[in-house]
PDB file of all heavy atoms in Angstrom:
ATOM      1  N   GLY A1047      -1.960   4.968 -12.560  1.00  0.00           N
ATOM      2  CA  GLY A1047      -1.815   6.405 -12.959  1.00  0.00           C
ATOM      3  C   GLY A1047      -2.980   7.314 -12.707  1.00  0.00           C
ATOM      4  O   GLY A1047      -3.019   8.364 -13.370  1.00  0.00           O
ATOM      5  N   VAL A1048      -3.999   6.791 -11.983  1.00  0.00           N
ATOM      6  CA  VAL A1048      -5.128   7.774 -11.681  1.00  0.00           C
ATOM      7  C   VAL A1048      -5.605   7.413 -10.320  1.00  0.00           C
ATOM      8  O   VAL A1048      -5.675   6.310  -9.829  1.00  0.00           O
ATOM      9  CB  VAL A1048      -6.177   7.635 -12.782  1.00  0.00           C
ATOM     10  CG1 VAL A1048      -6.799   6.182 -12.801  1.00  0.00           C
ATOM     11  CG2 VAL A1048      -7.337   8.696 -12.521  1.00  0.00           C
ATOM     12  N   VAL A1049      -5.951   8.551  -9.581  1.00  0.00           N
ATOM     13  CA  VAL A1049      -6.476   8.379  -8.159  1.00  0.00           C
ATOM     14  C   VAL A1049      -7.954   8.719  -8.324  1.00  0.00           C
ATOM     15  O   VAL A1049      -8.316   9.787  -8.808  1.00  0.00           O
ATOM     16  CB  VAL A1049      -5.683   9.422  -7.273  1.00  0.00           C
ATOM     17  CG1 VAL A1049      -6.225   9.304  -5.771  1.00  0.00           C
ATOM     18  CG2 VAL A1049      -4.178   9.141  -7.314  1.00  0.00           C
ATOM     19  N   THR A1050      -8.762   7.932  -7.694  1.00  0.00           N
ATOM     20  CA  THR A1050     -10.255   8.174  -7.792  1.00  0.00           C
ATOM     21  C   THR A1050     -10.882   8.012  -6.424  1.00  0.00           C
ATOM     22  O   THR A1050     -10.322   7.289  -5.524  1.00  0.00           O
ATOM     23  CB  THR A1050     -10.957   7.133  -8.682  1.00  0.00           C
ATOM     24  OG1 THR A1050     -10.768   5.836  -8.187  1.00  0.00           O
ATOM     25  CG2 THR A1050     -10.407   7.153 -10.176  1.00  0.00           C
ATOM     26  N   GLY A1051     -11.902   8.719  -6.191  1.00  0.00           N
ATOM     27  CA  GLY A1051     -12.632   8.643  -4.925  1.00  0.00           C
ATOM     28  C   GLY A1051     -13.820   9.531  -4.752  1.00  0.00           C
ATOM     29  O   GLY A1051     -14.199  10.191  -5.773  1.00  0.00           O
ATOM     30  N   THR A1052     -14.242   9.641  -3.478  1.00  0.00           N
ATOM     31  CA  THR A1052     -15.356  10.542  -3.122  1.00  0.00           C
ATOM     32  C   THR A1052     -14.955  11.399  -2.005  1.00  0.00           C
ATOM     33  O   THR A1052     -14.083  11.041  -1.268  1.00  0.00           O
ATOM     34  CB  THR A1052     -16.633   9.774  -2.892  1.00  0.00           C
ATOM     35  OG1 THR A1052     -16.374   8.812  -1.776  1.00  0.00           O
ATOM     36  CG2 THR A1052     -17.247   9.038  -4.001  1.00  0.00           C
ATOM     37  N   GLY A1053     -15.731  12.471  -1.810  1.00  0.00           N
ATOM     38  CA  GLY A1053     -15.472  13.339  -0.701  1.00  0.00           C
ATOM     39  C   GLY A1053     -16.535  14.362  -0.569  1.00  0.00           C
ATOM     40  O   GLY A1053     -17.641  14.169  -1.220  1.00  0.00           O
ATOM     41  N   THR A1054     -16.355  15.418   0.080  1.00  0.00           N
ATOM     42  CA  THR A1054     -17.389  16.456   0.178  1.00  0.00           C
ATOM     43  C   THR A1054     -16.715  17.815  -0.153  1.00  0.00           C
ATOM     44  O   THR A1054     -15.580  18.058   0.166  1.00  0.00           O
ATOM     45  CB  THR A1054     -18.156  16.547   1.436  1.00  0.00           C
ATOM     46  OG1 THR A1054     -17.178  16.808   2.536  1.00  0.00           O
ATOM     47  CG2 THR A1054     -18.832  15.270   1.834  1.00  0.00           C
ATOM     48  N   ILE A1055     -17.605  18.758  -0.587  1.00  0.00           N
ATOM     49  CA  ILE A1055     -17.193  20.162  -0.740  1.00  0.00           C
ATOM     50  C   ILE A1055     -18.358  21.010  -0.153  1.00  0.00           C
ATOM     51  O   ILE A1055     -19.522  20.844  -0.554  1.00  0.00           O
ATOM     52  CB  ILE A1055     -16.998  20.526  -2.213  1.00  0.00           C
ATOM     53  CG1 ILE A1055     -15.705  19.836  -2.833  1.00  0.00           C
ATOM     54  CG2 ILE A1055     -16.809  22.059  -2.346  1.00  0.00           C
ATOM     55  CD1 ILE A1055     -15.342  20.120  -4.222  1.00  0.00           C
ATOM     56  N   GLY A1056     -18.080  21.753   0.847  1.00  0.00           N
ATOM     57  CA  GLY A1056     -19.152  22.509   1.558  1.00  0.00           C
ATOM     58  C   GLY A1056     -20.117  21.598   2.145  1.00  0.00           C
ATOM     59  O   GLY A1056     -21.295  21.893   2.139  1.00  0.00           O
ATOM     60  N   GLY A1057     -19.687  20.373   2.525  1.00  0.00           N
ATOM     61  CA  GLY A1057     -20.629  19.412   3.102  1.00  0.00           C
ATOM     62  C   GLY A1057     -21.384  18.592   2.114  1.00  0.00           C
ATOM     63  O   GLY A1057     -21.958  17.600   2.529  1.00  0.00           O
ATOM     64  N   HIS A1058     -21.329  18.839   0.805  1.00  0.00           N
ATOM     65  CA  HIS A1058     -22.085  18.097  -0.166  1.00  0.00           C
ATOM     66  C   HIS A1058     -21.146  17.116  -0.813  1.00  0.00           C
ATOM     67  O   HIS A1058     -20.004  17.421  -1.155  1.00  0.00           O
ATOM     68  CB  HIS A1058     -22.660  19.015  -1.259  1.00  0.00           C
ATOM     69  CG  HIS A1058     -23.585  20.071  -0.777  1.00  0.00           C
ATOM     70  ND1 HIS A1058     -24.760  19.714  -0.082  1.00  0.00           N
ATOM     71  CD2 HIS A1058     -23.664  21.365  -0.928  1.00  0.00           C
ATOM     72  CE1 HIS A1058     -25.433  20.795   0.185  1.00  0.00           C
ATOM     73  NE2 HIS A1058     -24.762  21.828  -0.297  1.00  0.00           N
ATOM     74  N   PRO A1059     -21.665  15.896  -1.124  1.00  0.00           N
ATOM     75  CA  PRO A1059     -20.755  14.809  -1.736  1.00  0.00           C
ATOM     76  C   PRO A1059     -20.396  15.193  -3.162  1.00  0.00           C
ATOM     77  O   PRO A1059     -21.180  15.821  -3.919  1.00  0.00           O
ATOM     78  CB  PRO A1059     -21.701  13.611  -1.756  1.00  0.00           C
ATOM     79  CG  PRO A1059     -23.110  14.103  -1.602  1.00  0.00           C
ATOM     80  CD  PRO A1059     -23.052  15.350  -0.898  1.00  0.00           C
TER      81      PRO A1059
END
Side-chain angles (χ1 to χ4, degrees):
V1048 63
V1049 180
T1050 62
T1052 54
T1054 60
I1055 293 182
H1058 297 303

